[in-house]
Amino acid sequence: EAHELQRRATAAQVALQQLNRQINDATPKVRDGASVPADVKSKYDAFTKEWDAVRKKFGVGIPVAAGRGGGGGGRGGAPDPENVVARIGAAKSSVGAFWEMPSASVMKQYADAKDALPKAIADANAFIAKANAMANTLKAQNITLTVPAAIK
C-alpha cells in the first residue's frame, strides 16, 4: 500500500513539474508582453498565486537547500508539512526502518500522509482545469501553455 501511495504521489509530482516548466516559460511572456492586455495579466497573476499553493503540496519548484560543507552529520529535518510527496516518502521510510511494529506516532504520520494525498490530487486536478482555461486565454496572445492531463 505504501509503495502504491508513493507511486501515485510521484506520478502527480512529475506531471506538475512539467506544468511548472510551462508556467515558468510563459510567465515573462505574459508579464513583459506589451501586447498582453492588463486584464489577462491580472488573471495570470491570480493564476500563478494559486499555482504556488498547489505546487507546494507536491514539492514542485521548491529549491533544494544548499549544503554547508563539512563532514557527516544529521539527516535533515522533518519534511515540509505542506509537501504531501515528501510526507509520504518520510512515513514510508519510517515504517520500513523498523523490524518490529512501528510506533503509534509513525503510524499516525503515515495515516495522515495517506489521507492528504486524495485531497492534494483533487486540488491539483482542479488547478489543471483552470490551467486549461488559462491556456486558451493565452493562446489568443500567441503564448503557449501546454497543460498535462488530469492526474489519476
Side-chain angles (χ1 to χ4, degrees), residues 11-72:
Q13 183 181 51
V14 168
L16 296 177
Q17 285 170 337
Q18 294 168 356
L19 181 57
N20 191 56
R21 285 190 289 278
Q22 293 290 312
I23 290 172
N24 287 341
D25 185 53
T27 296
K29 295 174 186 174
V30 173
R31 291 190 177 147
D32 302 335
S35 65
V36 177
D39 69 315
V40 172
K41 288 182 181 187
S42 177
K43 287 178 188 176
Y44 190 80
D45 283 343
F47 170 80
T48 58
K49 282 183 180 135
E50 186 173 346
W51 170 238
D52 285 342
V54 171
R55 70 180 177 79
K56 288 178 185 177
K57 294 177 184 182
F58 294 90
V60 171
I62 297 172
V64 177
R68 294 189 181 178

Side-chain angles (χ1 to χ4, degrees), residues 5 8 84 88 112-125:
L5 269 180
R8 284 187 69 214
V84 176
I88 289 171
D112 289 348
K114 178 182 170 184
D115 292 345
L117 183 60
K119 180 178 181 339
I121 288 176
D123 291 348
N125 283 333

